[in-house]
Amino acid sequence: MIIALLAGAFGLLIGSFLNVVVWRVPRGESVVRPPSACPACGAAIRPRDNLPVVGWLVLRGRCRDCGAAISARYPLVEAGTGLLFALVGLRFGAHAVLPAFLYLAAVSVALTLIDLDVKRLPDVLTLPSYGVGIVLLGLASLSDPQQLLRAVLGAAALFALYFALCFAYPAGMGFGDVKLSGVLGLYTAWLGWDVWASGVMAGFLLGGVFGIAVILSGRGGRKTALPFGPFMILGAFVAIFFGHGLVDGYLHLTTGG
């Protein structure tokens, strides 16, 4: 529980940084400079006002200098990242693999929000995640190199699956999804092939259910373009947290064992 609390507190800080990433990366801007400023008046955000969640509450959602409204999305992203980090901390505890999955949580939040905003998964976030994931998962696999080998095979297999789907129906899937699939396959396969498989199925199931809901609600049709990255990511995390249990339950129902 202590690990979860510490991870959650760390996640609040990371969430504050992710707000910058989500805004600037799609625009090709540096995430380091210039410092954060009010988009209405240009006044620099004071350090005390940058405290995750608390700063927004103290300011009552208004700029200290000009009084312009500050979107509630900022504290929600910070709180959501903190919660996700806490759940990852609770899932893995003090295991050596914890940093790897905290990194995955952080980049997943950024990619999800960017895909929802601009329907794009920037290479600057996706591609480095392969190297970071292999290094961090590799360090956690020193006592069992087979885990890392399985992770790499899982990344290659899921990349190949999504590449085939993209090639067969390019209008239904972007190549950004293909590149993201390898990252998710890397992490889920590290936990086991059952987790890998449940992550794949959960992503398609969640995306399909949402697509049907959009059609039934009248907010879109069969040709409405929906970003698939968030469902891939959500499916992967469903598998990371519940994959073993989901597969065991499915086998029990289908085989009666």
Side-chain angles (χ1 to χ4, degrees):
M1 183 58 71
I2 293 178
I3 296 297
L5 292 174
L6 292 174
F10 181 53
L12 290 173
L13 298 174
I14 295 298
S16 181
F17 174 67
L18 292 181
N19 276 318
V20 177
V21 172
V22 170
W23 176 258
R24 295 188 183 184
V25 165
R27 294 164 175 78
E29 300 173 356
S30 169
V31 298
V32 179
R33 296 180 180 177
S36 298
C38 172
C41 68
I45 305 298
R46 295 163 178 77
R48 66 179 183 274
D49 295 334
N50 257 332
L51 288 174
V53 181
V54 175
W56 187 88
L57 292 174
V58 169
L59 292 173
R60 298 181 179 180
R62 297 282 178 179
C63 172
R64 183 181 293 276
D65 294 281
C66 70
I70 302 172
S71 173
R73 171 165 160 167
Y74 292 103
L76 289 175
V77 170
E78 293 162 354
T81 305
L83 176 60
L84 182 57
F85 269 49
L87 291 174
V88 171
L90 193 62
R91 167 69 173 82
F92 294 102
H95 195 285
V97 81
L98 179 60
F101 281 90
L102 289 179
Y103 171 82
L104 178 65
V107 77
S108 293
V109 170
L111 287 171
T112 294
L113 294 173
I114 291 173
D115 204 12
L116 290 172
D117 285 345
V118 300
K119 293 183 174 61
R120 185 162 57 87
L121 296 166
D123 287 348
V124 70
L125 295 178
T126 305
L127 297 185
S129 296
Y130 283 92
V132 174
I134 289 173
V135 170
L136 293 179
L137 292 173
L139 291 174
S141 307
L142 292 177
S143 61
D144 185 7
Q146 291 296 321
Q147 282 186 299
L148 182 60
L149 176 60
R150 184 178 64 230
V152 173
L153 291 175
L158 198 54
F159 186 96
L161 172 62
Y162 271 79
F163 183 87
L165 292 173
C166 182
F167 180 79
Y169 185 50
M173 182 174 294
F175 202 69
D177 298 327
V178 178
K179 287 178 277 192
L180 173 61
S181 68
V183 176
L184 300 178
L186 181 75
Y187 278 87
T188 53
W190 190 90
L191 294 171
W193 287 116
D194 54 344
V195 176
W196 182 92
S198 59
V200 176
M201 290 186 292
F204 283 110
L205 178 61
L206 291 167
V209 169
F210 185 81
I212 292 172
V214 168
I215 294 173
L216 293 178
S217 66
R219 297 184 178 180
R222 294 179 60 185
K223 295 185 178 181
T224 300
L226 298 173
F228 191 56
F231 300 106
M232 295 170 62
I233 290 169
L234 181 57
F237 274 95
V238 167
I240 289 167
F241 291 124
F242 308 110
H244 294 304
L246 289 174
V247 172
D248 289 344
Y250 175 78
L251 293 175
H252 180 76
L253 287 174
T254 56
T255 64

